[in-house]
Amino acid sequence: METEGNVYLSRLVKGVTMVLVSCFLNVIVLELIIRQDAKAGTAITFFQFLTIAAEGLIANTIFPPLSSFSFSEIRLRPRKIPIKTYLIMVIMFWSQSVAN
């Protein structure tokens, strides 16, 4: 019988494993692409950053119902973390992507 702690640990291990495998595959694919065209790295990094920013924007936007849609009613969700912490994470992600 699985306890709540075991379920949590199992989910944690699965999540960390998936993140690490995704990162490793990302690096391998990026290196293979750069071998073909050395200038492609900058474009890939830019589009990767743009994609993550767009996904974050869409995920954190509150859209009004389609029946009464108005652009003036589109809002951002309230932040769950302070802006300073968020900016530090963005700068770390950007610098890591550029350093890669």
Side-chain angles (χ1 to χ4, degrees):
M1 181 174 188
E2 290 194 23
T3 64
E4 188 175 318
N6 288 344
V7 171
Y8 175 77
L9 183 62
S10 174
R11 288 182 178 173
L12 179 66
V13 169
K14 286 178 187 176
V16 169
T17 302
M18 290 176 66
V19 167
L20 289 175
V21 168
S22 298
C23 286
F24 294 150
L25 288 174
N26 185 28
V27 170
I28 290 169
V29 170
L30 181 61
E31 291 297 326
L32 290 173
I33 292 172
I34 290 174
R35 281 186 190 170
Q36 297 294 319
D37 183 6
K39 296 178 183 178
T42 304
I44 291 171
T45 300
F46 171 75
F47 284 112
Q48 183 180 34
F49 193 79
L50 187 66
T51 301
I52 291 172
E55 188 275 330
L57 179 64
I58 292 168
N60 289 294
T61 302
I62 300 171
F63 295 99
L66 288 178
S67 59
S68 62
F69 184 81
S70 171
F71 284 106
S72 63
E73 294 180 21
I74 297 175
R75 302 274 186 260
L76 289 176
R77 296 183 194 281
R79 287 191 310 274
K80 295 181 181 178
I81 60 171
I83 191 72
K84 183 179 177 182
T85 304
Y86 180 76
L87 289 174
I88 290 170
M89 290 189 319
V90 169
I91 290 168
M92 287 174 57
F93 171 72
W94 178 81
S95 60
Q96 174 266 327
S97 293
V98 171
N100 233 353

